[in-house]
Amino acid sequence: MLLFIAANAAAEEGMFLFTNPPKKAVADRFGFEMTDAWLQRVQKSSIRFPNGSASFVSPEGLVLTNHHVGASQIQELSTKENDLLANGFCAKTREEELPCKNTELLVLQSIEDVTGRVKDHVGLSVALFKRRLELEKAGVLPEETSPTTSSEVAEKARRAVIAAIEKESLDTTGLKSNVVTLYQGGQYHLYRYKVYTDVRLVFAPEQQAASFGGDPDNFEYPRYCLDCAFFRVYENGKPASTPDHLGWARENVKDGEPVFVSGHPGRTNREYIYDHLCFQRDFVLPRTMQRLYRLESLYSVWAERSEENRRRVKNELDYIKNSRKVRLGQLAGLQDPVLIGPKFDPGDLNSFRSTKDAEGEWKTEVIPGNPDTKRIYTILESWREFYDDYMLFEGGDAFNSKTFQIARTLVRLARESEKPNAERLREFQDANLETLKSRLFSDAPIYEDLEILKLTDSLSLLLTFRKDVIPAGPARKVEGEPNPVHPAGHVMGDTSPIKRATELVKGSKLRDVAERKRLAEGGLKAIEASDDPMIEFALLVDFHSRKLRTRYETDIEEPLKQAYAKLAEARFEKYGDTLYPDATFTLRLSYGAVKGYAEDDGTAVPPWTVLSGLYDRAALHTNQPPFDLTESWVRAREALDPETPFNLVSTNDIIGGNSGSPLLNTNAEVVGLIFDGNLQSLTGDMVYTDIQSRAVSVHAAIILEALRKVYGMERIAEELTGP
Amino acid sequence: MLLFIAANAAAEEGMFLFTNPPKKAVADRFGFEMTDAWLQRVQKSSIRFPNGSASFVSPEGLVLTNHHVGASQIQELSTKENDLLANGFCAKTREEELPCKNTELLVLQSIEDVTGRVKDHVGLSVALFKRRLELEKAGVLPEETSPTTSSEVAEKARRAVIAAIEKESLDTTGLKSNVVTLYQGGQYHLYRYKVYTDVRLVFAPEQQAASFGGDPDNFEYPRYCLDCAFFRVYENGKPASTPDHLGWARENVKDGEPVFVSGHPGRTNREYIYDHLCFQRDFVLPRTMQRLYRLESLYSVWAERSEENRRRVKNELDYIKNSRKVRLGQLAGLQDPVLIGPKFDPGDLNSFRSTKDAEGEWKTEVIPGNPDTKRIYTILESWREFYDDYMLFEGGDAFNSKTFQIARTLVRLARESEKPNAERLREFQDANLETLKSRLFSDAPIYEDLEILKLTDSLSLLLTFRKDVIPAGPARKVEGEPNPVHPAGHVMGDTSPIKRATELVKGSKLRDVAERKRLAEGGLKAIEASDDPMIEFALLVDFHSRKLRTRYETDIEEPLKQAYAKLAEARFEKYGDTLYPDATFTLRLSYGAVKGYAEDDGTAVPPWTVLSGLYDRAALHTNQPPFDLTESWVRAREALDPETPFNLVSTNDIIGGNSGSPLLNTNAEVVGLIFDGNLQSLTGDMVYTDIQSRAVSVHAAIILEALRKVYGMERIAEELTGP
């Protein structure tokens, strides 16, 4: 695909590495020189938030992100009495800033290219393995049983060397260290992060103000969302000193002005070959959407039964609705010949052609000389065979419950801890253990009724897919004969989904953090001695789940990585560093311009909206949810400047994960806050166009105006702009 | 299954034929003698409404049914200015009664057993066919090409003889005549109906009052729904004379009092064998629910975008939500060993047993001597093979749009009209033509935007299932090569679902009734000359759709019918007329008692609710939708007796289609109006229990109270009770 993209790349396409910034393109396009100092400052001001991006906007640790990015944190601070999501939160003094549960903010300190070391180690391991096979065959060495394929060896070796690099780095620098796989395995970079764990909530508007228009307006534009929130990081009980931070623009950004986004785009598939896109379109997306539709209905119906239900499930429901809309947009793009057509047979490395066979049927064939595209096709075919089972068991679709997730983590933690670091599942390796434990021991509320609802539904889903007896493997407590009426007898305990879910959830003590700690500290012994039904259940399904995980990593993930690595290599040879790698939820820079666009019917859409439009829109919908104004905005109306810019669009190339990223001018000053893309941007996953696709930001001006005149947060406005 | 049911039948189970009423059971249980006069009166007072049941409740053609049963009629009378669903409707005089569009009410006049004639004709045709085959084989007769199997012959013969019987009866009596297949083909009865086509709306409450609590409360109990509406049938411009009608109870029904339901239960599957239930559970229901979840999301999101959208899609959305809840309940029942367990291996005609094979896997096998159960299993296996394709093309899942339905009907009408009556598709046979045309020429509104939305979504669904080129067959206008990027090129016209849907819907003139009439009158010639894009589209997919229809009727429907007929025969031999046949959307009688029940946690649920509970429930939900009171009920509160019974539960065995049925006492007086079942009744499709399963009615008392004191409809209250 990239051939096409590279050849026809839209002017402002690209999510660039900070180690390979688009200096020339930006200079050519805007006459702006991105200096190394500018880049350093932006990099060290950029923050990775658990579910998105953020930035430092004052020297005293003040953090700006989206309300929807910080929503989990805000919800976890809510109580039945005070729903901070609904009511918003304003810390009038620093003392009132509320410590969040279980929140880690990461700031990228350095990037090191470790491609050579990873590739050397993998190459050597495979060579050694092949040599041993020869010797075994020759009878010189006795036969060993595992591993059995060089792909397995490669995967293991890569995991081992990455784990070693990360551990060395952590031990040496004390910084959180992650090896990032770029270009589908073409490059490996070591990213070192400073970690902030004392994060406090400073300000959040009411969710209704943050996401005015709700799901109907999601991904739409023009918009009127104050989708922002402020947090502050602390060290040793005091606001952290953050000399690297962004300024705040004193003037409103202009139409056509160059703007930059520094953030963490999550995942793109722009290097996918045509068949891979078809696999996504015809196999993965329809399945994903089935799950999303199902959960959307389940959660919506439950939310309708009471206000308390609605509060409990709101975040999960919003997430599902958002995902559904994104997937729908992606599918629409992939089903549109205008979009996917050019991806077909671009005539170069990623090369297919269509011919008619004897019966007059169209066949797609790989042009000889591109074995890697053929290999990718074959790998995807075998992925089909166990995709559903994988998603149910290892993906957890069959056990949708936080209690189960905790139980599985405890069971695996006990088992993995007994292995050498390099051989553990990735999430249990030393470099990731702290994050894992902070999540495991979070005291965020878990609602018994919602847990039962979700687990009932997902066990019912399991029964639809699996009529046979679950292969129980060497797990403990597999007794009795399966029930012929309910062949998934062991897992279902011979009863109905609702009764099984009820007994598992109600019987479990894992909602108590102390019990989790006791089991985690007790290791395998404590797990085996436990009679917690959810622990027993997690043990029961773990053998099968892990088998699927191994199969996926060995037969799919690793071979795909290798095939794409070869394609990526070939691309490098041809295109050098004009290419940017697919998004990996690590720090990237994108450039663009503030710019309106035209809808299909010719309607001109302006580059930004203004405040008065918010009141007009609410009036048009007779102030009915989700288009209702909050009391605070009704009250403040007279004081506010109706011409204040509210939301704005720009051509920056972004994707999910970029939410909360600052939109910067050439002075590295905040002019906006990325919070969404328009409908036409939803295919950005696969392809970027600058015709209608736009990034949507909260305008810096409305943030100041609202802080001052709606929320009485002058102290923060002053911290942003200086006195 | 019936063996089990018959042996263990719950006291009040059964949807009885009027030709075989449960006189003895009722006499034994309640000491009440159902006389033939009583039965005749109830039969002739009972009405089949397009989507449910109804009854005559005055000598002047006054019809009582549910608001939700008449909702299509009410919506079709609505305008953008006056939404009768939302606002309700009260005809203060007979002159104000509003003529409905396209509505036929049927009243059953007589029942004739035609089993002998049908079976004779089918038997003879098959014998002749076999003889001809022998003669062909012997070279005595030249070989013919079709039909090729005796199952095909039987199906054709049955269709022919049924069409002949219906036509004879229509010609002789002038009454609408339908042959009803009972006991899965064990019996055939000829039902003759008087048809009323001038139906006028008399009274409808606000939909919010009718379905207070909305989807969250649907199938729940206790309830507070005034789910009733009144219509009136006219003949020659005057209220029809209906001497056969029900009385109105002057006293409230008592706890434990015997009550009867006369109505049209739509469909039950109580004769299904175990494997058929598993087929429903594991194959059909999950697929159906996927579609429902998808449409629920599609319609909900669209409804949220504006009030007008919400009005336009409301009925369809309510229908989807209702179906989803029903299917969920059914699935839950089928996944519960307590419910489905007893259906497994009851040890008689429907006989399976489970054994372990060599590998220790459980296998289910049919006990020798029951070839019909084995045959059913085999038929269902072959149904799997083309089920999806059938639902997409012939079921219309791929072309979800009223405009398409009209186009398909026009195309088929032209083609079928050229065939002899007996050879036509069922819906185009003479006996059904009038109904078909009244629907085809209905001027009920069709919304272009909603049509595009639905068709876009369903074409996208089609693309997910069918990557290949649609077999275009001998249809006209199949030109050009398929597009290799979009292999379903012909159907998709080489463009995206949204663009294709837009061009089809916007380009079509079929929303104009006159154009439909022109095409219908012009016959095949007019159809072939038409350049309406939707007509061309319907032509394009018709060949493939009809092939699937034929395959279904020949390979699935007919052999299943035969296999079940054999099982039914065997059952008859053993159990005689203690059995009732599965529901067939024809008139049935059920008996039961007014009776509360206990929830799983022991909570006692009373047999009826009272009016004050409505106000309490609204207050609990702070009067928020869907628990908001209408202005009329807020205003009337003081005038109303808070102790008036509102909704009530009884043990009657009902199912969807019974909605709108009168609940009668032994005097054939209305004591309530069936409108729902509780959650525990949702498995009634497969199995009836009287433990918690209950039919839910609007109490007769609240109907009178509301007519008089909320809606100022004293004239109707008086017509019901007499002056």
Side-chain angles (χ1 to χ4, degrees), chain B residues 335-394:
Chain B
Q335 287 188 336
D336 187 347
V338 170
L339 236 144
I340 200 176
K343 295 246 177 191
F344 189 81
D345 198 358
D348 203 339
L349 287 167
N350 173 39
S351 305
F352 289 82
R353 70 178 166 213
S354 49
T355 50
K356 274 188 168 181
D357 68 7
E359 283 87 45
E361 298 259 307
W362 283 94
K363 294 283 177 209
T364 295
E365 57 169 17
V366 180
I367 294 175
N370 289 278
D372 295 315
T373 52
K374 177 79 183 170
R375 268 185 64 207
I376 291 168
Y377 180 81
T378 314
I379 295 163
L380 294 176
E381 282 304 295
S382 62
W383 183 205
R384 278 174 206 267
E385 287 166 23
F386 66 105
Y387 179 91
D388 286 330
D389 221 26
Y390 179 89
M391 293 308 292
L392 285 168
F393 281 82
E394 185 60 16

Side-chain angles (χ1 to χ4, degrees), chain B residues 10-13 270 651-654 683-684 686-690 693:
Chain B
E12 287 131 3
E13 171 169 353
R270 293 190 187 160
T651 59
N652 299 76
D653 186 3
I654 61 159
T683 48
M686 287 87 52
V687 61
Y688 168 90
T689 70
D690 61 1
S693 170

Side-chain angles (χ1 to χ4, degrees), chain A residues 216 282 286 290 293 296-297 301 304-305 324 335-337 356 362 460 463-464 467 481-482 484 486 499 621, chain B residues 216 282 286 290 293 296-297 301 304-305 324 335-337 356 362 460 463-464 467 481-482 486 499 621:
Chain A
D282 303 330
Q290 277 173 18
Y293 285 137
E296 184 173 9
S297 172
V301 169
E304 279 172 5
R305 296 200 58 78
R324 181 253 303 145
Q335 287 187 336
D336 188 346
K356 274 188 166 182
W362 283 94
S460 169
L463 284 185
T464 290
K467 248 54 60 188
E481 294 294 359
H486 241 290
K499 286 173 203 149
H621 286 266
Chain B
D282 303 330
Q290 278 173 16
Y293 285 137
E296 184 174 9
S297 172
V301 169
E304 279 173 5
R305 295 201 59 77
R324 181 254 302 145
Q335 287 188 336
D336 187 347
K356 274 188 168 181
W362 283 94
S460 168
L463 284 185
T464 291
K467 246 56 60 190
E481 295 292 1
H486 241 289
K499 287 173 202 146
H621 286 266

Side-chain angles (χ1 to χ4, degrees), chain A residues 255-313:
Chain A
D255 193 1
E257 186 176 330
V259 280
F260 302 86
V261 174
S262 171
H264 299 81
R267 192 185 166 84
T268 54
N269 299 316
R270 293 191 187 159
E271 302 187 344
Y272 274 4
I273 64 166
Y274 179 76
D275 271 79
H276 205 149
L277 294 177
C278 293
F279 180 75
Q280 294 298 118
R281 179 189 67 189
D282 303 330
F283 190 83
V284 175
L285 277 176
R287 277 169 171 69
T288 310
M289 292 187 45
Q290 277 173 18
R291 297 284 195 289
L292 293 172
Y293 285 137
R294 181 183 179 113
L295 292 175
E296 184 173 9
S297 172
L298 183 77
Y299 295 163
S300 300
V301 169
W302 197 70
E304 279 172 5
R305 296 200 58 78
S306 79
E307 279 313 299
E308 176 60 12
N309 282 9
R310 188 179 303 278
R311 190 184 72 80
R312 290 180 177 197
V313 81

Side-chain angles (χ1 to χ4, degrees), chain B residues 558-575:
Chain B
E558 179 57 30
L560 264 187
K561 210 179 270 172
Q562 290 180 9
Y564 273 116
K566 287 200 176 176
L567 285 179
E569 261 176 59
R571 284 190 184 104
F572 263 119
E573 267 174 42
K574 190 154 182 178
Y575 297 100

Side-chain angles (χ1 to χ4, degrees), chain B residues 262-441:
Chain B
S262 171
H264 300 81
R267 191 188 166 82
T268 54
N269 299 316
R270 293 190 187 160
E271 302 187 342
Y272 276 3
I273 63 166
Y274 179 76
D275 271 79
H276 205 149
L277 293 177
C278 293
F279 179 75
Q280 293 298 117
R281 179 189 68 189
D282 303 330
F283 189 81
V284 175
L285 278 176
R287 276 168 173 69
T288 310
M289 292 188 44
Q290 278 173 16
R291 297 285 195 287
L292 293 172
Y293 285 137
R294 181 184 179 110
L295 292 176
E296 184 174 9
S297 172
L298 183 77
Y299 296 162
S300 300
V301 169
W302 197 70
E304 279 173 5
R305 295 201 59 77
S306 79
E307 278 314 299
E308 175 60 13
N309 283 10
R310 189 179 303 278
R311 191 184 70 81
R312 291 181 176 196
V313 81
K314 181 165 194 339
N315 261 5
E316 276 164 278
L317 180 55
D318 286 351
Y319 175 79
I320 295 290
K321 286 184 167 188
N322 185 61
S323 303
R324 181 254 302 145
K325 211 163 182 177
V326 171
R327 298 308 197 298
L328 257 183
Q330 291 174 344
L331 189 64
L334 287 174
Q335 287 188 336
D336 187 347
V338 170
L339 236 144
I340 200 176
K343 295 246 177 191
F344 189 81
D345 198 358
D348 203 339
L349 287 167
N350 173 39
S351 305
F352 289 82
R353 70 178 166 213
S354 49
T355 50
K356 274 188 168 181
D357 68 7
E359 283 87 45
E361 298 259 307
W362 283 94
K363 294 283 177 209
T364 295
E365 57 169 17
V366 180
I367 294 175
N370 289 278
D372 295 315
T373 52
K374 177 79 183 170
R375 268 185 64 207
I376 291 168
Y377 180 81
T378 314
I379 295 163
L380 294 176
E381 282 304 295
S382 62
W383 183 205
R384 278 174 206 267
E385 287 166 23
F386 66 105
Y387 179 91
D388 286 330
D389 221 26
Y390 179 89
M391 293 308 292
L392 285 168
F393 281 82
E394 185 60 16
D397 282 358
F399 320 116
N400 178 16
S401 124
K402 288 184 184 171
T403 318
F404 172 81
Q405 285 305 332
I406 289 166
R408 165 172 282 178
T409 305
L410 286 168
V411 164
R412 292 190 172 176
L413 180 64
R415 286 183 171 161
E416 296 299 296
S417 300
E418 311 217 321
K419 297 181 191 168
N421 188 41
E423 285 177 23
R424 294 182 203 154
L425 293 171
R426 190 168 176 78
E427 62 272 28
F428 295 96
Q429 289 172 4
D430 288 340
N432 298 316
L433 262 188
E434 208 175 325
T435 306
L436 180 118
K437 285 189 177 170
S438 98
R439 196 169 301 144
L440 178 61
F441 301 137

